[in-house]
Amino acid sequence: MQVMMPSTDLKGKKAVVTGAGKGIGRGIALAYAEMGADVALVSRTESDLKKVAAEIEAMDRQALVVPADVSKVAEIRRMTAEVMDAFGRIDILVNNAGRNILSPALEVTEEDWDKVLELNLKGLFFCCQAVGKYMVRQRKGKIINITSQMGVVALPNRVTYCASKGGVVQLTKVLALEWAQYNVNVNAIGPTFIKTPLTEPILANEEFRQEVLWRIPMGRVGEVRDVVGAAVFLASDASDFITGHTLLVDGGWVAH
């Protein structure tokens, strides 16, 4: 019996990536373009998005720059409408935008809590909802939520972040159940510490870096390319029968 190899090609697909100006978001956006997709780039910082757009256009793919604060529902709805006007459809959504505020639990302020949860959980959900409406209508779509290994295991001084990312894991499962009948796959990626401009300062602390490496059986900090591979797979036809899953890209941390 012949088995047909499913394709990871994204040729002709239309993708939206939030937090696309730097780090993991930038890496995913460039990878999608390299695999043939046109990409809408979303972030609060337009100058960063324009740099990524230039890289994508150099690949002869279309890049749409959409400055937006995806912690605000009105901005999410405007962004989604703008992408639909330009692309006509959305095949892939990657919810990558996020933030973290380090603080012992006894010192977390209401402002800290709201800042983290509004972007990491509330904003992510309403991006899913806004784009999901179109995917349900077109009876096809891939949604990929960037959570964290800290949605599954805890670290001290990160109660708001862990709470938000744990919420993303559960939210992903619920949306997968509700939208499976419409052929919309909803999955998540849970990276460990990845080398990005955001993590460079904390990984520069040698004591903390060694603690991180001790917890990762593969013995290294993650690279953006490690997350990119998972994001391409989950956006492609190769993952058509996978939904409600959180794919941990953690070098074995959670296997402890």
Side-chain angles (χ1 to χ4, degrees):
M1 176 179 163
Q2 185 178 9
V3 177
M4 298 298 292
M5 178 64 191
S7 174
T8 55
D9 183 24
L10 303 179
K11 186 175 182 180
K13 300 290 187 182
K14 308 294 184 182
V16 177
V17 181
T18 72
K22 293 179 180 178
I24 291 172
R26 172 183 173 272
I28 291 173
L30 292 176
Y32 283 177
E34 188 174 339
M35 298 301 291
D38 297 320
V39 188
L41 307 166
V42 182
S43 171
R44 291 180 299 172
T45 309
E46 186 173 6
S47 58
D48 290 339
L49 297 182
K50 286 182 175 179
K51 292 175 186 176
V52 181
E55 295 180 83
I56 289 173
E57 288 163 355
M59 301 181 205
D60 292 325
R61 301 311 315 166
Q62 185 178 355
L64 179 67
V65 171
V66 189
D69 181 351
V70 293
S71 69
K72 303 183 186 309
V73 176
E75 288 280 284
I76 291 167
R77 290 172 179 163
R78 175 189 60 78
M79 174 273 290
T80 305
E82 192 171 327
V83 175
M84 287 298 298
D85 286 344
F87 283 173
R89 70 179 195 277
I90 300 172
D91 302 298
I92 304 158
L93 167 66
V94 179
N95 286 307
N96 171 69
R99 65 162 56 101
N100 188 9
I101 298 175
L102 298 182
S103 177
L106 291 176
E107 297 175 15
V108 171
T109 66
E110 183 178 6
E111 183 182 14
D112 292 341
W113 181 270
D114 288 345
K115 279 184 177 180
V116 174
L117 272 291
E118 280 180 359
L119 180 58
N120 293 9
L121 191 56
K122 176 185 172 182
L124 181 144
F125 167 72
F126 281 101
C127 281
C128 289
Q129 185 192 68
V131 174
K133 288 178 180 178
Y134 293 103
M135 290 183 171
V136 164
R137 195 176 303 163
Q138 67 195 21
R139 295 297 194 272
K140 181 73 173 175
K142 298 289 180 81
I143 295 176
I144 301 161
N145 296 322
I146 305 300
T147 180
S148 167
Q149 69 182 20
M150 282 180 267
V152 181
V153 295
L155 276 184
N157 303 320
R158 292 165 174 80
V159 65
T160 53
Y161 190 76
C162 290
S164 69
K165 294 302 187 178
V168 172
V169 171
Q170 288 298 95
L171 178 155
T172 296
K173 293 178 182 179
V174 175
L175 297 185
L177 290 177
E178 290 193 16
W179 296 346
Q181 63 185 310
Y182 305 110
N183 202 31
V184 176
N185 302 68
V186 188
N187 291 293
I189 299 173
T192 186
F193 287 91
I194 305 295
K195 286 184 193 173
T196 69
L198 186 67
T199 61
E200 280 177 4
I202 57 173
L203 290 173
N205 180 314
E206 189 58 28
E207 183 180 353
F208 180 76
R209 180 182 174 83
Q210 289 305 316
E211 181 182 348
V212 167
L213 292 176
W214 176 79
R215 292 173 182 270
I216 299 176
M218 296 195 79
R220 67 173 175 87
V221 173
E223 303 278 354
V224 169
R225 62 182 171 82
D226 297 316
V227 184
V228 163
V232 169
F233 167 66
L234 290 175
S236 74
D237 293 347
S239 65
D240 278 354
F241 203 53
I242 299 171
T243 197
H245 180 69
T246 295
L247 176 54
L248 294 170
V249 181
D250 68 345
W253 181 312
V254 176
H256 275 288

